[in-house]
Amino acid sequence: MLENIRISFQSIWGHKLRSSLTMLGVIIGIAAVIAIFAIIQGRSEDLKSNLIGMGNNTINVVFEEEDMYGEEGMWGGEMSNRSAPPIKQEAIEEILTYPNVNGMSIYYEGWQEAYHLINVTHPRLLGIDERYFDLFPTTMVEGREFTESDFASYNQVALINEVAMSELFPEGDALHQTIDIGGIPFKVVGIFSDAIEDSDWYYPESTIYLPTTIWPLLNGFDAPMQVAVQASSSETIQEVGTMAADRLNMDLPPYETAIYQVADFERMMEEISQYDQAFAFILGGIASISLLVGGIGVMNIMLVSVTERTREIGIKKALGAKRYVILAQFLTESVVLTSIGGIIGILSGLGIAKAISVFANMPYFVSVPAIIGSFIFSMFIGIIFGILPSIKASKLQPVEALRYE
Amino acid sequence: MTMIRLKNLSKSYNLGKEEIPILKRISLDVEEGEFLAIMGPSGSGKSTLMNILGCLDLPSSGDYELESMNMLTGHANKLAEIRNQFIGFVFQSFHLLPRLTALQNVELPLIYSGLKKKERKERAMDALKKVGLEDRASFRPPQLSGGQRQRVAIARAIVNKPKFILADEPTGALDTKTGEQILSLFKKLNGEGVTIIMITHDEEVAKKADRIIYIRDGELFKERSEDVHA
């Protein structure tokens, strides 16, 4: 067997141009599969980690009418701005003690213009508590974060991001300046950058943070609160979210028709993997066509190789080589040929995927099962398309094979 | 002692409706240790006879026995085994594998009989020594002269200690001087007890053998008839 593999390499090496051209079909087929798979898988993994847990195992508990995430699925519901009873501090404390809960933050979210002199911005306005940055870390560029006294003393202070700063303070120098939101002045105490959310699914938008405690000054006391809970791992997100929602629901008055609830990530996962499967099917189709073409090329060259080596086969048979010896020799050569093609295809496929991900700024994902699968499949092509020429070789009559010039 | 016995051996080919007889009820005994030459012009059926003797082809009818063993078992793999174990081939155009070294070429029959690598190397080297080419063991056929190539082929023929050597025009592709060296090598091997059947159309070559059998139009003759030459 080893001897056969060695002979195969010799023979493939002996016809470098021909062998590489023959391999090309397999190489292109496998490379295409690997590259497309890496890109699609990359996007899908990225989508999953961004949708599910916002990239840091965090889930939002939303106060909505029942069944928002009902039959029509997660995409069917619509965020409403209905009011909600304030969340009690003790509920938060209690949820934080639950197993697998890493952190929790309560915040307000809204869209409201902010002004400085004649400059205006339309920021995403967030009223955040002191735990918000534990869940969504941010990088301060200038100034400071909120302090305990900002929350306790209802200080009219704001953190703005670089986008908001460039819109409000085109000439720079925003720190300690005053901005106007809904007719109320806020002092800019810090400027942060959006680095943390700089993934494909976000583009930097104007964002302003205020302390939660000052929020009612803008929107009253019954503004709906957002609840974010961070789980210790992506596996426990769903469970942690459900537990937090259940705890919050306990405090709701009996007449309330809305409840706290979380998106059904398992269903979302399922939907995403259904898309993946559809892609896999289409891919499989394309791949099989190109690999079929490559395989036929291999078969063609193997038939030529058998004809060329008729005399060699005759000699070997005259010296006592049995049929399976000849069969194994040619089959090995064909499998070695397509396997080399497969390996080159896998490497170039990964290279192409890497290049695409660098140039087009797309994520890519190296799937080990896909690589192993492609390699086994390339060997399989060698067997399928090598079997006919090998049988032909093994069936040659020694007399005729020896006479062949 | 009779080693090979052919009895009423016939071979014919079907060309469409017509049946072309190539060998006509041939009977032949070859003694152990004999050096036999079979002579005949082209088209006389000597190649077909050689193929049947070498178990490369099967006769249409008749018997072929080697030491009372029936050689006509029919199955391709069985015939391969018989060729491997009992017959050493020497061809006109050497039929060496150009990509293998002399030693590897000589090793081939031993690979097919399933010998271990170490024993293979030793026996192949011994065979090369017998033909005086041990210093050319690592050369490939294209690096060897015609005479040397034929000696490698002879080494390959004797390496598996066959019952007999079947040589098909062994000097046909060589000049006279080299041809004579090959023939004296055959003589030497024959002197050591190896049975040799040589097929040739060259009278001078055939004369080296102990016995000459003539074949003409598919029939064997003890004497050379004059009209063959005409």
Side-chain angles (χ1 to χ4, degrees):
Chain A
M1 195 62 209
L2 273 173
E3 186 71 9
N4 272 336
I5 293 173
R6 206 177 55 80
I7 293 171
S8 305
F9 272 108
Q10 271 180 3
S11 148
I12 289 165
W13 192 248
H15 300 100
K16 280 188 251 341
L17 182 65
R18 189 167 87 185
S19 304
S20 42
L21 287 176
T22 309
M23 278 183 223
L24 207 56
V26 178
I27 293 174
I28 291 171
I30 297 279
V33 175
I34 291 285
I36 300 171
F37 201 82
I39 292 293
I40 285 181
Q41 190 84 347
R43 288 202 80 85
S44 149
E45 292 293 318
D46 196 53
L47 184 69
K48 274 185 199 165
S49 66
N50 273 297
L51 274 184
I52 297 159
M54 299 175 235
N56 63 351
N57 300 334
T58 304
I59 188 169
N60 268 66
V61 182
V62 187
F63 187 64
E64 287 297 338
E65 294 293 333
E66 273 187 74
D67 243 17
M68 169 187 168
Y69 297 118
E71 280 312 304
E72 71 270 47
M74 62 155 296
W75 319 103
E78 224 176 89
M79 288 281 195
S80 77
N81 273 334
R82 56 161 301 143
S83 59
I87 291 163
K88 289 181 190 151
Q89 193 60 32
E90 62 192 66
I92 298 171
E93 306 283 333
E94 210 173 302
I95 289 168
L96 281 169
T97 65
Y98 285 173
N100 297 324
V101 174
N102 264 16
M104 179 178 179
S105 172
I106 308 281
Y107 61 95
Y108 297 97
E109 186 173 17
W111 301 83
Q112 207 163 352
E113 290 91 354
Y115 301 92
H116 175 257
L117 305 176
I118 57 158
N119 303 314
V120 65
T121 182
H122 302 268
R124 176 170 171 244
L125 196 62
L126 290 145
I128 60 172
D129 66 2
E130 59 272 37
R131 283 178 293 265
Y132 185 84
F133 288 134
D134 298 342
L135 269 59
F136 307 103
T138 194
T139 316
M140 298 306 292
V141 181
E142 239 185 299
R144 58 169 178 85
E145 292 182 12
F146 294 141
T147 59
E148 256 177 64
S149 76
D150 285 334
F151 293 105
S153 328
Y154 304 94
N155 287 344
Q156 285 163 245
V157 290
L159 301 176
I160 66 176
N161 75 342
E162 288 167 321
V163 181
M165 183 182 112
S166 68
E167 283 175 11
L168 289 173
F169 305 96
E171 61 286 329
D173 205 18
L175 208 58
H176 308 310
Q177 301 275 347
T178 304
I179 57 172
D180 179 315
I181 303 169
I184 297 160
F186 289 89
K187 193 170 122 190
V188 177
V189 295
I191 292 131
F192 62 93
S193 91
D194 283 292
I196 190 64
E197 289 188 343
D198 189 18
S199 107
D200 297 328
W201 307 92
Y202 298 98
Y203 56 96
E205 58 184 358
S206 176
T207 308
I208 296 179
Y209 294 149
L210 308 173
T212 24
T213 46
I214 202 72
W215 190 269
L217 199 60
L218 284 169
N219 296 302
F221 281 95
D222 61 350
M225 299 194 88
Q226 307 286 332
V227 182
V229 186
Q230 189 177 41
S232 56
S233 72
S234 59
E235 283 79 42
T236 53
I237 292 180
Q238 192 76 50
E239 179 197 333
V240 161
T242 311
M243 284 197 309
D246 289 348
R247 176 62 190 82
L248 293 173
N249 286 333
M250 279 166 56
D251 292 343
L252 292 176
Y255 54 82
E256 186 58 70
T257 55
I259 55 163
Y260 286 97
Q261 47 191 314
V262 290
D264 189 345
F265 282 147
E266 267 152 37
R267 203 212 308 277
M268 282 162 60
M269 286 283 216
E270 226 166 81
E271 279 180 31
I272 291 173
S273 42
Q274 271 170 13
Y275 282 114
D276 282 358
Q277 270 174 14
F279 271 128
F281 266 116
I282 297 166
L283 256 182
I286 297 168
S288 0
I289 291 169
S290 76
L291 287 173
L292 182 74
V293 174
I296 292 169
V298 170
M299 179 147 83
N300 202 6
I301 279 305
M302 288 311 295
L303 285 170
V304 170
S305 178
V306 168
T307 308
E308 268 184 1
R309 279 142 76 181
T310 299
R311 202 125 80 102
E312 175 189 326
I313 296 164
I315 294 167
K316 288 186 167 173
K317 285 202 152 187
L319 297 178
K322 291 179 185 173
R323 273 174 63 170
Y324 71 83
V325 173
I326 306 291
L327 186 94
Q329 183 197 333
F330 281 91
L331 206 52
T332 309
E333 186 171 325
S334 155
V335 171
V336 167
L337 190 71
T338 57
S339 302
I340 296 173
I343 291 169
I344 298 174
I346 288 167
L347 293 179
S348 40
L350 290 177
I352 292 166
K354 177 86 189 161
I356 291 175
S357 83
V358 168
F359 289 116
N361 193 25
M362 293 204 294
Y364 89 112
F365 182 82
V366 178
S367 159
V368 176
I371 289 172
I372 294 170
S374 310
F375 181 66
I376 291 173
F377 193 63
S378 66
M379 289 176 76
F380 191 63
I381 292 172
I383 295 174
I384 290 297
F385 291 98
I387 195 89
L388 191 84
S390 305
I391 288 177
K392 191 187 165 202
S394 77
K395 276 190 171 167
L396 280 177
Q397 291 298 318
V399 182
E400 272 136 54
L402 279 174
R403 210 184 285 145
Y404 187 87
E405 291 299 326
Chain B
M1 198 186 118
T2 305
M3 175 183 254
I4 294 169
R5 171 162 286 162
L6 302 183
K7 233 158 73 192
N8 295 330
L9 211 67
S10 296
K11 177 78 180 176
S12 52
Y13 288 110
N14 273 319
L15 283 183
K17 287 172 229 159
E18 240 182 316
E19 185 132 319
I20 312 278
I22 306 293
L23 297 178
K24 298 168 190 163
R25 297 176 67 81
I26 277 177
S27 294
L28 173 70
D29 283 0
V30 182
E31 298 297 312
E32 190 175 349
E34 202 181 357
F35 188 172
L36 173 74
I38 299 176
M39 260 201 80
S42 52
S44 58
K46 66 180 192 305
S47 293
T48 306
L49 179 59
M50 135 111 195
N51 287 338
I52 291 171
L53 275 169
C55 287
L56 293 164
D57 203 356
L58 291 171
S60 308
S61 66
D63 292 324
Y64 173 15
E65 283 175 2
L66 176 72
E67 293 184 338
S68 309
M69 179 182 59
N70 181 19
M71 298 284 268
L72 306 176
T73 56
H75 193 272
N77 278 346
K78 182 69 192 164
L79 288 176
E81 213 174 297
I82 288 174
R83 289 194 294 273
N84 182 254
Q85 299 294 319
F86 302 136
I87 307 169
F89 289 94
V90 178
F91 300 99
Q92 176 174 3
S93 45
F94 325 130
H95 283 347
L96 298 173
L97 296 186
R99 271 203 282 271
L100 302 184
T101 64
L103 189 71
Q104 286 169 328
N105 265 292
V106 177
E107 262 184 87
L108 268 182
L110 303 175
I111 292 178
Y112 301 138
S113 40
L115 251 67
K116 289 265 183 311
K117 195 168 184 170
K118 193 165 165 274
E119 200 183 345
R120 254 168 29 205
K121 290 248 181 286
E122 280 169 12
R123 278 176 65 174
M125 209 60 204
D126 284 347
L128 276 177
K129 266 180 206 153
K130 271 197 180 148
V131 299
L133 279 180
E134 64 267 39
D135 55 335
R136 295 283 188 276
S138 60
F139 285 48
R140 284 167 215 278
Q143 299 166 295
L144 299 171
S145 71
Q148 287 171 331
R149 285 187 221 179
Q150 195 59 301
R151 273 147 71 195
V152 172
I154 292 168
R156 184 179 65 184
I158 59 172
V159 73
N160 220 0
K161 302 190 168 55
K163 298 284 182 200
F164 65 96
I165 286 179
L166 196 57
D168 182 15
E169 302 276 11
T171 59
L174 303 172
D175 60 64
T176 320
K177 197 170 154 251
T178 323
E180 283 196 355
Q181 287 170 358
I182 294 297
L183 287 172
S184 29
L185 181 58
F186 274 138
K187 265 294 200 204
K188 187 183 137 221
L189 290 170
N190 181 241
E192 289 163 13
V194 180
T195 310
I196 299 172
I197 301 176
M198 182 170 69
I199 286 151
T200 182
H201 67 279
D202 188 334
E203 183 83 49
E204 290 302 310
V205 171
K207 272 181 185 161
K208 302 279 179 185
D210 303 337
R211 179 159 72 111
I212 305 178
I213 291 283
Y214 298 90
I215 180 167
R216 181 162 42 90
D217 295 333
E219 286 176 278
L220 293 184
F221 298 91
K222 288 225 162 38
E223 299 293 323
R224 175 181 178 151
S225 61
E226 287 309 312
D227 56 343
V228 172
H229 216 55

Coordinates of all heavy atoms in Angstrom, one line a residue, chain A residues 196-257:
Chain A
I196 N -16.7 49.7 21.1 CA -17.2 48.4 21.5 C -18.3 48.0 20.6 O -18.5 46.8 20.3 CB -17.8 48.5 23.0 CG1 -18.1 47.1 23.5 CG2 -18.9 49.5 23.1 CD1 -17.0 46.1 23.6
E197 N -19.1 48.9 20.0 CA -20.2 48.5 19.1 C -19.8 48.5 17.7 O -20.6 48.5 16.8 CB -21.4 49.3 19.4 CG -22.0 49.0 20.7 CD -23.4 49.7 20.9 OE1 -23.6 50.6 20.2 OE2 -24.1 49.2 21.8
D198 N -18.5 48.6 17.4 CA -18.0 48.8 16.1 C -17.9 47.5 15.4 O -16.9 47.0 14.9 CB -16.6 49.5 16.1 CG -16.2 49.9 14.7 OD1 -17.1 49.9 13.8 OD2 -15.0 50.1 14.5
S199 N -19.0 46.8 15.3 CA -19.0 45.5 14.5 C -19.8 45.8 13.2 O -20.3 46.9 13.0 CB -19.7 44.4 15.4 OG -20.9 44.1 14.9
D200 N -20.0 44.7 12.4 CA -20.6 44.9 11.1 C -22.1 45.4 11.2 O -22.7 45.9 10.3 CB -20.6 43.6 10.4 CG -19.2 43.2 10.1 OD1 -18.4 44.2 9.9 OD2 -18.9 42.0 10.1
W201 N -22.7 45.1 12.3 CA -24.1 45.2 12.5 C -24.5 46.6 13.0 O -25.6 46.9 13.2 CB -24.7 44.1 13.3 CG -24.3 42.8 12.7 CD1 -23.3 42.1 13.0 CD2 -24.9 42.2 11.6 NE1 -23.2 41.0 12.2 CE2 -24.2 41.0 11.3 CE3 -26.1 42.4 10.7 CZ2 -24.5 40.1 10.3 CZ3 -26.4 41.6 9.7 CH2 -25.6 40.4 9.5
Y202 N -23.5 47.4 13.4 CA -23.7 48.7 13.9 C -22.9 49.7 13.1 O -21.8 49.4 12.6 CB -23.3 48.8 15.3 CG -24.0 47.9 16.3 CD1 -23.5 46.7 16.6 CD2 -25.3 48.3 16.8 CE1 -24.1 45.8 17.5 CE2 -26.0 47.4 17.6 CZ -25.4 46.2 18.0 OH -26.1 45.4 18.8
Y203 N -23.5 50.8 12.9 CA -22.7 51.9 12.4 C -22.7 53.0 13.5 O -23.8 53.1 14.2 CB -23.1 52.4 11.0 CG -24.5 52.9 11.0 CD1 -24.9 54.2 11.1 CD2 -25.6 52.0 10.8 CE1 -26.2 54.7 11.1 CE2 -26.9 52.4 10.8 CZ -27.2 53.7 10.9 OH -28.5 54.2 10.9
P204 N -21.7 53.7 13.7 CA -21.7 54.6 14.8 C -22.8 55.7 14.6 O -23.0 56.2 13.5 CB -20.3 55.3 14.8 CG -19.7 54.9 13.5 CD -20.4 53.7 12.9
E205 N -23.6 55.8 15.6 CA -24.7 56.8 15.5 C -24.5 57.8 16.7 O -23.8 57.4 17.7 CB -26.0 56.2 15.6 CG -26.2 55.3 16.8 CD -27.5 54.5 16.8 OE1 -28.3 54.7 15.9 OE2 -27.8 53.8 17.7
S206 N -25.1 58.9 16.6 CA -25.0 59.8 17.7 C -25.7 59.2 19.0 O -26.8 58.7 18.9 CB -25.8 61.1 17.3 OG -25.8 62.0 18.3
T207 N -25.0 59.3 20.1 CA -25.5 58.6 21.3 C -25.1 59.5 22.5 O -24.0 60.1 22.6 CB -24.8 57.3 21.5 OG1 -24.9 56.5 20.4 CG2 -25.4 56.5 22.7
I208 N -26.1 59.7 23.3 CA -25.9 60.5 24.6 C -26.4 59.7 25.8 O -27.5 59.1 25.7 CB -26.6 61.9 24.5 CG1 -26.0 62.7 23.3 CG2 -26.5 62.6 25.8 CD1 -26.7 64.1 23.1
Y209 N -25.6 59.6 26.8 CA -26.0 59.0 28.1 C -26.3 60.0 29.1 O -25.6 61.0 29.3 CB -24.9 58.1 28.6 CG -24.5 56.9 27.8 CD1 -23.2 56.4 27.7 CD2 -25.5 56.2 27.0 CE1 -22.9 55.3 27.0 CE2 -25.2 55.1 26.3 CZ -23.9 54.7 26.3 OH -23.5 53.6 25.5
L210 N -27.4 59.8 29.8 CA -27.8 60.6 31.0 C -27.9 59.7 32.2 O -28.2 58.5 32.0 CB -29.1 61.3 30.8 CG -29.3 62.1 29.5 CD1 -30.7 62.6 29.4 CD2 -28.3 63.3 29.5
P211 N -27.8 60.1 33.4 CA -28.1 59.2 34.6 C -29.5 58.9 34.6 O -30.4 59.7 34.3 CB -27.7 60.1 35.8 CG -26.9 61.2 35.2 CD -27.4 61.5 33.8
T212 N -29.9 57.6 35.0 CA -31.3 57.2 35.1 C -32.1 58.1 35.9 O -33.3 58.4 35.7 CB -31.5 55.8 35.8 OG1 -30.4 55.6 36.6 CG2 -31.7 54.7 34.8
T213 N -31.5 58.6 37.0 CA -32.3 59.3 38.0 C -32.8 60.7 37.5 O -33.8 61.1 37.9 CB -31.4 59.6 39.3 OG1 -30.1 60.1 38.8 CG2 -31.2 58.4 40.1
I214 N -32.1 61.2 36.4 CA -32.6 62.5 35.9 C -33.6 62.3 34.8 O -34.3 63.2 34.4 CB -31.3 63.3 35.4 CG1 -31.6 64.8 35.3 CG2 -30.9 62.8 34.0 CD1 -31.7 65.4 36.7
W215 N -33.8 61.1 34.3 CA -34.6 60.8 33.2 C -36.1 61.3 33.3 O -36.6 61.9 32.4 CB -34.6 59.3 32.9 CG -35.3 58.9 31.5 CD1 -36.6 58.6 31.3 CD2 -34.6 58.9 30.3 NE1 -36.8 58.3 30.0 CE2 -35.6 58.5 29.3 CE3 -33.3 59.1 29.8 CZ2 -35.4 58.4 28.0 CZ3 -33.1 59.0 28.4 CH2 -34.1 58.6 27.5
P216 N -36.7 61.1 34.5 CA -38.1 61.5 34.7 C -38.3 63.0 34.4 O -39.4 63.4 34.1 CB -38.4 61.1 36.1 CG -37.5 60.0 36.4 CD -36.2 60.3 35.7
L217 N -37.2 63.8 34.6 CA -37.3 65.2 34.3 C -37.7 65.4 32.9 O -38.3 66.4 32.5 CB -35.9 65.8 34.6 CG -35.8 67.3 34.9 CD1 -36.7 67.7 36.0 CD2 -34.4 67.7 35.1
L218 N -37.2 64.5 32.0 CA -37.5 64.6 30.6 C -38.8 64.0 30.2 O -39.6 64.5 29.4 CB -36.4 64.0 29.8 CG -35.1 64.7 29.6 CD1 -34.0 63.8 29.0 CD2 -35.2 66.0 28.8
N219 N -39.0 62.8 30.7 CA -40.1 61.9 30.2 C -41.1 61.5 31.3 O -41.9 60.6 31.0 CB -39.6 60.7 29.5 CG -38.7 61.1 28.3 OD1 -39.2 61.8 27.4 ND2 -37.5 60.8 28.3
G220 N -41.1 62.0 32.5 CA -42.0 61.6 33.5 C -41.6 60.3 34.1 O -40.6 59.7 33.7
F221 N -42.4 59.9 35.2 CA -41.9 58.8 36.0 C -42.3 57.4 35.5 O -41.8 56.4 35.9 CB -42.5 59.0 37.4 CG -41.6 59.9 38.2 CD1 -42.0 61.3 38.3 CD2 -40.5 59.5 38.8 CE1 -41.2 62.2 39.0 CE2 -39.7 60.4 39.5 CZ -40.0 61.7 39.6
D222 N -43.3 57.4 34.5 CA -43.7 56.1 34.1 C -43.1 55.7 32.7 O -43.7 54.9 32.0 CB -45.2 56.0 34.0 CG -45.8 57.0 33.1 OD1 -45.1 57.9 32.6 OD2 -47.0 57.0 32.8
A223 N -42.0 56.3 32.4 CA -41.4 56.0 31.1 C -41.0 54.5 31.2 O -40.6 54.0 32.2 CB -40.2 56.8 30.9
P224 N -41.1 53.8 30.1 CA -40.8 52.3 30.1 C -39.3 52.1 30.3 O -38.5 52.8 29.8 CB -41.2 51.8 28.8 CG -41.2 53.0 27.9 CD -41.5 54.2 28.7
M225 N -39.0 51.1 31.1 CA -37.6 50.8 31.4 C -37.1 49.6 30.6 O -37.9 48.7 30.4 CB -37.4 50.6 32.9 CG -37.7 51.8 33.7 SD -37.1 51.6 35.4 CE -35.5 52.3 35.3
Q226 N -35.9 49.7 30.2 CA -35.3 48.5 29.5 C -34.5 47.7 30.6 O -33.9 48.4 31.4 CB -34.3 48.9 28.4 CG -34.9 49.9 27.4 CD -35.9 49.2 26.5 OE1 -35.7 48.0 26.2 NE2 -36.9 49.9 26.0
V227 N -34.6 46.5 30.5 CA -33.9 45.6 31.5 C -32.9 44.8 30.7 O -33.3 44.1 29.8 CB -34.8 44.7 32.3 CG1 -34.0 43.9 33.3 CG2 -35.9 45.6 33.0
A228 N -31.6 44.9 31.0 CA -30.6 44.0 30.3 C -30.0 43.1 31.4 O -29.6 43.6 32.4 CB -29.6 44.8 29.7
V229 N -30.0 41.8 31.1 CA -29.4 40.9 32.1 C -28.3 40.1 31.4 O -28.4 39.7 30.2 CB -30.4 39.8 32.6 CG1 -29.8 38.9 33.6 CG2 -31.7 40.5 33.0
Q230 N -27.2 40.0 32.0 CA -26.0 39.4 31.4 C -25.9 38.0 32.1 O -25.8 37.9 33.3 CB -24.7 40.2 31.6 CG -23.6 39.6 30.9 CD -22.3 40.5 31.0 OE1 -22.0 40.9 32.1 NE2 -21.6 40.6 29.9
A231 N -25.8 37.0 31.2 CA -25.6 35.6 31.7 C -24.1 35.3 31.7 O -23.3 35.9 31.0 CB -26.3 34.6 30.8
S232 N -23.8 34.2 32.4 CA -22.3 33.8 32.5 C -21.9 33.2 31.2 O -20.7 33.2 30.9 CB -22.1 32.8 33.6 OG -23.0 31.7 33.5
S233 N -22.8 32.6 30.4 CA -22.4 32.0 29.1 C -23.5 32.0 28.2 O -24.7 32.3 28.6 CB -21.9 30.6 29.3 OG -23.1 29.8 29.6
S234 N -23.3 31.8 26.9 CA -24.3 31.9 25.9 C -25.3 30.8 26.1 O -26.5 30.9 25.7 CB -23.7 31.8 24.5 OG -23.0 30.6 24.3
E235 N -24.9 29.7 26.7 CA -25.9 28.6 26.9 C -27.0 28.9 27.9 O -28.1 28.4 27.9 CB -25.2 27.3 27.4 CG -24.4 26.5 26.3 CD -23.1 27.2 26.0 OE1 -22.4 27.6 27.0 OE2 -22.8 27.3 24.8
T236 N -26.6 29.8 28.9 CA -27.6 30.1 30.0 C -28.4 31.4 29.7 O -29.2 31.8 30.6 CB -26.8 30.2 31.3 OG1 -25.7 31.1 31.2 CG2 -26.2 28.9 31.7
I237 N -28.1 32.1 28.6 CA -28.8 33.3 28.3 C -30.3 33.2 28.5 O -31.0 33.9 29.2 CB -28.5 33.8 26.9 CG1 -27.1 34.2 26.8 CG2 -29.4 35.0 26.6 CD1 -26.7 34.7 25.4
Q238 N -30.9 32.2 27.8 CA -32.3 32.0 27.7 C -32.9 31.8 29.1 O -33.8 32.4 29.5 CB -32.6 30.8 26.9 CG -34.1 30.6 26.5 CD -34.5 31.6 25.4 OE1 -33.8 31.7 24.4 NE2 -35.6 32.4 25.6
E239 N -32.2 30.9 29.9 CA -32.7 30.6 31.2 C -32.6 31.8 32.2 O -33.6 32.1 32.9 CB -31.7 29.5 31.7 CG -32.0 28.9 33.1 CD -30.8 28.2 33.6 OE1 -30.0 27.6 32.8 OE2 -30.6 28.2 34.8
V240 N -31.5 32.5 32.1 CA -31.3 33.7 32.9 C -32.4 34.7 32.6 O -33.0 35.3 33.5 CB -29.9 34.3 32.7 CG1 -29.8 35.7 33.2 CG2 -28.9 33.4 33.5
G241 N -32.6 34.9 31.3 CA -33.6 35.9 30.9 C -35.0 35.6 31.4 O -35.7 36.4 31.9
T242 N -35.3 34.3 31.3 CA -36.7 33.9 31.7 C -36.8 34.1 33.2 O -37.9 34.5 33.7 CB -36.9 32.4 31.3 OG1 -36.5 32.3 29.9 CG2 -38.3 32.0 31.5
M243 N -35.8 33.7 33.9 CA -35.9 33.8 35.4 C -36.0 35.3 35.8 O -36.8 35.6 36.7 CB -34.6 33.3 36.1 CG -34.5 31.8 36.1 SD -33.3 31.1 37.3 CE -31.9 32.0 36.8
A244 N -35.3 36.2 35.1 CA -35.4 37.6 35.5 C -36.7 38.1 35.1 O -37.3 38.9 35.9 CB -34.3 38.4 34.7
A245 N -37.3 37.7 34.0 CA -38.6 38.2 33.6 C -39.7 37.7 34.6 O -40.5 38.5 35.0 CB -38.9 37.6 32.2
D246 N -39.5 36.4 35.0 CA -40.5 35.9 36.0 C -40.5 36.7 37.3 O -41.5 37.0 37.9 CB -40.2 34.4 36.3 CG -40.5 33.5 35.1 OD1 -41.2 34.0 34.2 OD2 -40.1 32.4 35.1
R247 N -39.2 37.0 37.7 CA -39.1 37.8 39.0 C -39.7 39.2 38.8 O -40.4 39.6 39.7 CB -37.6 37.9 39.4 CG -37.3 38.7 40.6 CD -38.0 38.1 41.8 NE -38.0 39.0 43.0 CZ -38.8 40.0 43.2 NH1 -39.8 40.3 42.4 NH2 -38.7 40.8 44.3
L248 N -39.5 39.8 37.7 CA -40.0 41.1 37.5 C -41.6 41.1 37.4 O -42.3 42.0 37.9 CB -39.5 41.8 36.2 CG -38.0 42.1 36.3 CD1 -37.5 42.6 35.0 CD2 -37.7 43.2 37.4
N249 N -42.1 40.0 36.9 CA -43.6 39.9 36.7 C -44.3 39.8 38.1 O -45.4 40.1 38.2 CB -43.9 38.7 35.8 CG -43.6 39.0 34.4 OD1 -43.7 40.2 34.0 ND2 -43.3 38.0 33.6
M250 N -43.5 39.3 39.1 CA -44.1 39.1 40.4 C -44.5 40.4 41.0 O -45.5 40.5 41.8 CB -43.1 38.4 41.3 CG -43.0 36.9 41.2 SD -41.5 36.3 42.0 CE -41.8 36.9 43.7
D251 N -43.8 41.5 40.6 CA -44.1 42.8 41.2 C -45.2 43.6 40.5 O -45.6 44.7 40.9 CB -42.8 43.7 41.3 CG -41.8 43.1 42.2 OD1 -42.2 42.3 43.1 OD2 -40.6 43.4 42.1
L252 N -45.7 43.0 39.3 CA -46.7 43.7 38.6 C -48.0 43.8 39.2 O -48.4 42.8 39.9 CB -46.8 43.1 37.2 CG -45.6 43.2 36.2 CD1 -45.9 42.4 35.0 CD2 -45.3 44.6 35.9
P253 N -48.7 44.9 39.2 CA -50.1 44.9 39.7 C -51.0 44.0 38.9 O -50.8 43.8 37.7 CB -50.5 46.4 39.5 CG -49.6 46.9 38.5 CD -48.3 46.1 38.5
P254 N -52.0 43.5 39.5 CA -52.9 42.5 38.9 C -53.6 43.0 37.7 O -53.9 42.2 36.8 CB -53.9 42.1 40.0 CG -53.8 43.1 41.1 CD -52.4 43.7 40.9
Y255 N -53.9 44.3 37.6 CA -54.6 44.8 36.4 C -53.7 44.9 35.2 O -54.2 45.2 34.1 CB -55.3 46.1 36.7 CG -54.3 47.1 37.2 CD1 -53.5 47.9 36.3 CD2 -54.1 47.4 38.6 CE1 -52.6 48.8 36.8 CE2 -53.2 48.3 39.1 CZ -52.4 49.0 38.2 OH -51.5 49.9 38.6
E256 N -52.4 44.8 35.3 CA -51.5 45.0 34.2 C -51.6 43.9 33.2 O -51.6 42.7 33.5 CB -50.1 45.0 34.8 CG -49.0 45.4 33.7 CD -49.2 46.8 33.1 OE1 -49.1 47.8 33.9 OE2 -49.6 46.8 32.0
T257 N -51.8 44.3 31.9 CA -52.0 43.3 30.8 C -50.6 42.9 30.2 O -50.5 41.9 29.5 CB -52.9 43.8 29.7 OG1 -52.4 45.1 29.3 CG2 -54.3 44.0 30.3

